[in-house]
Amino acid sequence: MPLSVSLSIEGDTTVIELEGELDAKTAPDFHQTIEKAAGHGTSTVEIRMAGVGYMASAGLRSLVFAQQKVGEHVTIKVVGAIEPVSRTIRTAGLDRSIVLTDD
Amino acid sequence: MSEPASEQVLRVDAYPTHEVGGYRVRAGKPFPFGANVVPGGVSFSVFSDQATSMTLVIYKRGEPEPTAELEFPQEFRTGSVFAMTVFGLDHENIEYGYRADGPYDPVTGHRFDARQVLSDPYARLIAGRDVWGVEPDRSRGYQYRSRVCLQDFDWGDDTPLGIPAEDLVVYETHVRGFTRHPSSQVTAPGTFAGLREKIPYLKELGINCIELLPVFEFDESDNPRTNPETGEQLFDYWGYNTVSFFAPKAGYAATGRYGMQGDEFRTLIKDLHAAGIEVILDVVFNHTAEGNEQGPTISFKGLDNATYYMLTPEGYYFNFSGTGNTVNCNHPVVRNFVLDCLRHWVADYHIDGFRFDLAAILGRSPDGTPLPNPPLLELLAYDPVLRHTKLIAEAWDAGGLYEVGNFPAYGRWAEWNGKYRDTVRSFLKGDPGVTGELATRLAGSPDLYSSRGTSASVNFLTAHDGFSLADLVSYNDKHNEANGEGNNDGGNDNASWNCGAEGPTDDPEVGALRLRQMKNALAILFTSQGIPMLLSGDEVARTQQGNNNTYCQDNELSWFDWSQVDENSELLRFTREMIAFRKRHRELRSTSHPTGQLRDTLGLPDISWHGERAWQPDWSAESRLLAVARCGTGDDDVVYAAMNSHWEAHDLELPALPGGRSWHLFADTGAEAPHDIRTPGAELELENAGKYLIGPRSVVILVGRTPDTEL
């Protein structure tokens, strides 16, 4: 299943909404969106992942990339990730610098 | 951060010059070895001295058959290094290996076989054993698959802790065993992530260094035996059989199936550092998982057998490791391999030190002779990257070389002090005539390490190899039947004593004596000079049911049972307070051996020996009582420890204290909890200042200090 990626700004938050599968094939689209989001200069980047049913290692790496791309003064939130996805994020240690929330 | 497009430099080496096997390529850089991501592609570099040709084999992740085979053009060869950059690879989703062609002539040491796909010795990730315990598909031709690894972990402000060696309290544990038991209640049991969740426990215990059994990729299914009692498959659980030296074990990571084991392990290390805990890795460079001529060809054997292994004149494998082969570590190329590997773990994983399994082998020449000045050991001691890491040797090997006290140290190497273990065990069980040697061991073994100081001695009573502490006081004999070797494996010389019953017992007297003996052991360990090492679980009386060689047991024999934290809270509290006491008293951690010289400030020597009478130790053959007083460096307290392994009580006359000090009771293992130990600094002043009755088989620790004025 391909990944649909949308980008919007809500106040001081840049919102990236993902739907589909985040893997090596689709990660580049996500990367491009992160690069755009990094250029917006908002204090928060919110990645909505409720619609992501599967995330491969490339997806995890994308989150690492996102952290480095937006800089340390920007908060990255991952919202609504299903349990297997959020567990993977936690065990990979990314929850130390990414805020994981249910909604 | 990437540069803005306008400022990016167009690099000529980002463009291909050749086409091989449908891929665009160019000559790679010989160094560094391994697979490295470069602009537009991946640079592959591999060494083989005798190969006539080399082919890069590329697989799509998880596919049984290769998608491409790229033979290195001759012009891509520099010396004996084959290097090629391949463009347009999806490095996240490939696995790679090599076919090396060359002579097959075992007598001259060469075992080339181009039919075999070989693992890259420098692979920083390995696929094929991604989830612990999953039965592998052995019909696949290429089992342990090299993967390309990005090095983009954000270490933040993590820096080496640089804890002085003399201040270390080492905790030896197994990544999987520490949290695999269901009672651990962690999110991902048996993994780096699980261990990370238990950092608060380690911190509360007070240890400041964790030593992990091997974490380099190994194959846990590499054990053909079954448990004769249950029929269950046995494992290579400890992992002293390295498959790939640069790769963290995927099966130890909850994210191994995603190839994220490197990040997960680094996250654990970063958090341990943040908690003030250093990380030492147990490393195995004396042999590999390739065994002897009967063993599998994984990597070295097919790349350059004659370089990497010590071979007899007939081309067979020397077996100083007891496992089939012996790594030829003092060969200049292999030396560099070991160095590159350790540098990788220090630079890319922020590892603080290493414990070298059967390190005496590292001092042998290619024909097996012990070298007076082994180049590898010298190289590691002086290497700029390794300069501040801890280097600890298991200073013996399976070929009979025993170098405890004589290991070529170059002022850098510490040793697992096997003599400390044997002496203290012997004393604990009540053997006569041990007090003299016990005194030497308590003082940091000056007979062995006179020129190297006390921190050359890693003091331990138990380790993964042998009985746990609870079993040391519960079993006279090993009970290794579950290992499937007819109880013939494991050491026979355990210096253990079961306190009156073999194994589990309902006898309350035996139970109480065992608990006391465990406390005695811990009290001696943490008041000895040298670096103390505690075996994980000993603080809560972890048992292996008398098995002293659980290398193959991936079950409750090996796992830390977290329900014992509550059940054996008395022993846990005792251990915590002993560690806290050691931290409080510098005289126990002095780097120099005591000399018996007077301390000007106190009018007492830095160390003094006592018996039933103050200043009169009994060194006779039947003596089972010894007391030692230390005073100090950095604090004005006097620490007195009396050790009685006799089955009778003894009246102790205490040495007089200078300058308004009085004796305060810190620990008495003969007393019922909670009076067995107190919080350091809150010791109880003795009413009868000059005397103390030490009970049978007990240790008493007193502090000579100024009484609390506010009490």
Side-chain angles (χ1 to χ4, degrees):
Chain A
M1 180 180 171
L3 184 77
S4 75
V5 187
S6 66
L7 181 70
S8 60
I9 295 188
E10 298 177 9
D12 197 22
T13 300
T14 304
V15 178
I16 301 174
E17 185 126 18
L18 303 176
E19 195 165 341
E21 293 187 350
L22 185 52
D23 57 20
K25 288 191 192 70
T26 60
D29 297 344
F30 181 37
H31 278 213
Q32 284 179 349
T33 311
I34 290 167
E35 289 195 329
K36 283 183 199 156
H40 287 162
T42 54
S43 66
T44 306
V45 173
E46 189 173 291
I47 303 168
R48 294 182 182 164
M49 293 184 76
V52 175
Y54 171 74
M55 181 170 69
S57 57
L60 280 171
R61 299 220 73 85
S62 299
L63 294 177
V64 175
F65 171 76
Q67 281 176 304
Q68 294 172 357
K69 201 74 199 165
V70 300
E72 59 188 53
H73 304 300
V74 177
T75 304
I76 296 183
K77 282 187 181 169
V78 169
V79 179
I82 61 172
E83 208 280 332
V85 171
S86 64
R87 188 175 61 233
T88 304
I89 291 170
R90 272 198 305 276
T91 51
L94 299 181
D95 61 319
R96 280 173 52 89
S97 45
I98 286 175
V99 181
L100 269 174
T101 57
D102 291 338
D103 46 33
Chain B
M1 300 293 282
S2 61
E3 299 156 344
S6 60
E7 294 177 25
Q8 281 185 353
V9 178
L10 290 176
R11 294 181 53 133
V12 172
D13 63 0
Y15 292 91
T17 57
H18 296 56
E19 186 167 309
V20 177
Y23 282 83
R24 294 174 309 149
V25 301
R26 69 177 292 126
K29 291 192 167 51
F31 287 104
F33 292 149
N36 294 284
V37 177
V38 296
V42 180
S43 175
F44 296 89
S45 173
V46 62
F47 158 82
S48 174
D49 195 44
Q50 295 293 319
T52 51
S53 72
M54 186 71 69
T55 300
L56 173 69
V57 185
I58 296 175
Y59 298 79
K60 283 197 175 123
R61 183 146 161 66
E63 293 289 320
E65 297 301 324
T67 59
E69 303 224 4
L70 288 65
E71 186 172 336
F72 286 72
Q74 279 300 319
E75 60 268 35
F76 289 6
R77 182 174 177 167
T78 308
S80 291
V81 180
F82 300 81
M84 173 165 59
T85 297
V86 183
F87 293 94
L89 282 177
D90 176 7
H91 57 78
E92 285 254 341
N93 290 292
I94 61 159
E95 293 155 352
Y96 74 96
Y98 295 107
R99 291 187 202 274
D101 204 358
Y104 182 83
D105 182 13
V107 174
T108 56
H110 303 310
R111 292 176 180 268
F112 288 94
D113 180 356
R115 293 168 304 178
Q116 296 265 11
V117 181
L118 307 168
S119 223
D120 179 359
Y122 279 76
R124 289 193 292 262
L125 279 182
I126 290 286
R129 297 294 183 271
D130 298 350
V131 179
W132 176 281
V134 172
E135 184 59 33
D137 174 5
R138 296 192 191 279
S139 66
R140 292 210 319 180
Y142 181 33
Q143 291 282 316
Y144 311 108
R145 298 171 165 222
S146 308
R147 292 194 63 206
V148 183
C149 176
L150 289 172
Q151 289 160 295
D152 56 358
F153 186 77
D154 177 11
W155 282 101
D157 55 3
D158 183 79
T159 51
L161 297 177
I163 299 172
E166 64 273 17
D167 292 344
L168 291 177
V169 178
V170 181
Y171 188 78
E172 192 203 30
T173 196
H174 184 282
V175 171
R176 179 172 168 83
F178 196 53
T179 63
R180 175 57 189 81
H181 197 282
S183 60
S184 72
Q185 301 285 303
V186 298
T187 315
T191 65
F192 297 125
L195 206 161
R196 180 174 159 234
E197 285 185 50
K198 291 294 186 184
I199 291 174
Y201 170 85
L202 297 172
K203 209 172 159 142
E204 199 177 350
L205 183 60
I207 61 105
N208 57 15
C209 176
I210 190 165
E211 182 174 311
L212 300 174
L213 262 69
V215 299
F216 300 176
E217 187 61 61
F218 63 91
D219 186 348
E220 69 275 10
S221 66
D222 186 18
N223 187 339
R225 290 192 172 85
T226 53
N227 181 332
E229 296 158 13
T230 64
E232 288 171 337
Q233 181 61 45
L234 296 174
F235 290 85
D236 176 5
Y237 170 77
W238 282 350
Y240 287 86
N241 223 11
T242 309
V243 161
S244 194
F245 287 79
F246 284 66
K249 176 145 188 63
Y252 279 170
T255 53
R257 67 187 73 215
Y258 302 100
M260 294 288 287
Q261 55 267 35
D263 293 72
E264 191 178 319
F265 188 28
R266 287 182 183 101
T267 301
L268 166 65
I269 294 160
K270 190 173 170 183
D271 281 9
L272 283 165
H273 286 172
I277 298 169
E278 293 195 340
V279 183
I280 286 179
L281 299 184
D282 193 336
V283 293
V284 191
F285 287 108
N286 57 74
H287 72 281
T288 74
E290 292 186 306
N292 58 12
E293 57 280 359
Q294 313 281 321
T297 296
I298 297 169
S299 177
F300 300 109
K301 210 182 254 188
L303 276 174
D304 232 356
N305 190 59
T307 295
Y308 288 106
Y309 293 114
M310 290 187 194
L311 301 173
T312 67
E314 302 76 31
Y316 290 104
Y317 293 86
F318 274 120
N319 186 15
F320 298 114
S321 66
T323 58
N325 65 47
T326 309
V327 173
N328 192 10
C329 0
N330 280 302
H331 182 290
V333 168
V334 187
R335 234 157 45 204
N336 283 335
F337 171 80
V338 174
L339 181 64
D340 288 346
C341 177
L342 296 174
R343 284 175 165 182
H344 156 75
W345 289 103
V346 172
D348 295 345
Y349 282 85
H350 291 200
I351 293 299
D352 302 283
F354 303 94
R355 175 268 186 189
F356 293 76
D357 180 64
L358 301 186
I361 283 178
L362 309 185
R364 288 184 185 265
S365 68
D367 68 358
T369 316
L371 292 160
N373 202 17
L376 173 62
L377 299 180
E378 185 181 40
L379 191 67
L380 301 184
Y382 292 102
D383 182 69
V385 176
L386 306 182
R387 194 64 194 129
H388 301 294
T389 55
K390 278 85 180 177
L391 302 175
I392 301 167
E394 184 184 36
W396 53 85
D397 68 19
L401 192 55
Y402 188 82
E403 294 189 308
V404 171
N406 296 313
F407 193 79
Y410 302 98
R412 288 273 281 117
W413 287 78
E415 298 171 16
W416 270 25
N417 189 343
K419 290 188 176 174
Y420 179 91
R421 175 197 57 202
D422 300 342
T423 305
V424 178
R425 282 185 178 197
S426 177
F427 175 80
L428 278 171
K429 68 196 270 277
D431 288 348
V434 186
T435 48
E437 187 164 1
L438 179 70
T440 308
R441 302 296 151 237
L442 298 178
S445 298
D447 59 332
L448 301 174
Y449 308 115
S450 61
S451 61
R452 294 157 59 183
T454 58
S455 53
S457 176
V458 175
N459 297 331
F460 68 107
L461 295 171
T462 52
H464 68 275
D465 195 356
F467 278 144
S468 70
L469 183 59
D471 289 358
L472 187 71
V473 297
S474 306
Y475 293 92
N476 285 348
D477 302 301
K478 67 184 184 187
H479 297 270
N480 296 3
E481 289 79 6
N483 299 351
E485 297 180 50
N487 205 30
N488 290 315
D489 62 306
N492 295 317
D493 190 9
N494 298 297
S496 65
W497 177 53
N498 65 18
C499 296
E502 187 74 354
T505 176
D506 294 330
D507 185 326
E509 281 192 24
V510 172
L513 178 54
R514 287 176 178 176
L515 178 58
R516 195 158 82 239
Q517 286 283 73
M518 287 190 273
K519 290 177 184 175
N520 292 342
L522 294 164
I524 293 171
L525 178 67
F526 290 116
T527 53
S528 296
Q529 284 173 271
I531 301 171
M533 183 177 82
L534 180 69
L535 173 63
S536 175
D538 279 355
E539 71 275 22
V540 294
R542 188 179 70 85
T543 177
Q544 298 175 167
Q545 309 297 333
N547 191 319
N548 76 350
N549 188 30
T550 55
Y551 76 98
C552 54
Q553 301 291 343
D554 179 30
N555 51 45
E556 298 204 358
L557 282 186
S558 296
W559 300 340
F560 189 116
D561 179 351
W562 289 87
S563 64
Q564 292 188 301
V565 169
D566 291 328
E567 287 165 17
N568 296 325
S569 57
E570 181 182 332
L571 187 64
L572 178 58
R573 170 179 166 258
F574 188 91
T575 312
R576 281 179 185 154
E577 299 294 14
M578 277 308 315
I579 293 172
F581 185 80
R582 180 177 182 84
K583 282 187 178 166
R584 190 180 175 91
H585 291 284
R586 281 208 64 79
E587 54 268 55
L588 300 175
R589 310 195 311 274
S590 162
T591 51
S592 52
H593 292 106
T595 59
Q597 285 181 317
L598 287 183
R599 310 288 309 180
D600 288 344
T601 50
L602 294 174
L604 285 172
D606 57 359
I607 197 162
S608 54
W609 303 100
H610 310 271
E612 284 187 285
R613 303 292 310 278
W615 305 100
Q616 293 180 27
D618 180 358
W619 305 116
S620 69
E622 283 305 307
S623 168
R624 292 181 174 85
L625 173 73
L626 180 66
V628 55
R630 288 190 185 87
C631 65
T633 45
D635 77 50
D636 282 347
D637 295 347
V638 183
V639 174
Y640 172 94
M643 293 146 283
N644 180 24
S645 66
H646 195 203
W647 44 90
E648 290 177 7
H650 290 271
D651 264 315
L652 297 173
E653 178 194 43
L654 304 175
L657 286 164
R661 289 175 182 76
S662 57
W663 288 114
H664 295 65
L665 178 63
F666 167 64
D668 181 347
T669 62
E672 291 288 317
H675 307 294
D676 55 338
I677 197 160
R678 302 180 69 85
T679 301
E683 297 88 357
L684 188 69
E685 189 173 7
L686 296 187
E687 291 176 6
N688 184 354
K691 295 271 184 202
Y692 195 87
L693 179 70
I694 187 169
R697 299 191 191 275
S698 296
V699 174
V700 168
I701 301 171
L702 307 173
V703 180
R705 60 177 173 81
T706 311
D708 300 313
T709 49
E710 67 273 14
L711 292 177

